[in-house]
Amino acid sequence: MLEGRCLSTITYDKAPAVRIPFPGTQGETVATQYRINQSGEKRWKAKDKPILYGLDRLDVIEAEGWCVLGEGASDGH
């Protein structure tokens, strides 16, 4: 189920985690966040900085003329 949404399960620091790629405006991965174990702790890939999730959908937002901002990346799924 996760893989169908560009997410993947991995082991991060010896714990199960979900890898969440953050796409840029052209769909390229510009940052990666990891959700660690069931506590939901969030960490960013080294040297990556937090960015808005869903920048690859800006064309849809511009066409519609509005958008809703959610609290986190999973809200976009």
Side-chain angles (χ1 to χ4, degrees), residues 16-37:
V18 175
R19 179 184 175 276
I20 305 171
F22 278 61
T25 57
Q26 303 301 310
E28 77 285 13
T29 299
V30 294
T32 302
Q33 184 183 73
Y34 303 98
R35 297 248 177 117
I36 314 301
N37 61 43

Side-chain angles (χ1 to χ4, degrees), residues 2-77:
L2 295 176
E3 287 75 12
R5 300 189 186 271
C6 298
L7 308 177
S8 56
T9 54
I10 64 165
T11 300
Y12 183 95
D13 199 20
K14 299 180 183 178
V18 175
R19 179 184 175 276
I20 305 171
F22 278 61
T25 57
Q26 303 301 310
E28 77 285 13
T29 299
V30 294
T32 302
Q33 184 183 73
Y34 303 98
R35 297 248 177 117
I36 314 301
N37 61 43
Q38 297 201 6
S39 72
E41 178 185 349
K42 300 172 189 172
R43 295 187 190 170
W44 291 91
K45 183 177 177 181
K47 299 185 181 180
D48 283 359
K49 295 181 180 179
I51 64 167
L52 291 174
Y53 187 81
L55 293 177
D56 57 325
R57 301 178 197 158
L58 282 180
D59 57 336
V60 175
I61 293 168
E62 289 175 359
E64 294 294 324
W66 66 278
C67 75
V68 174
L69 295 178
E71 182 272 328
S74 59
D75 294 334
H77 297 148

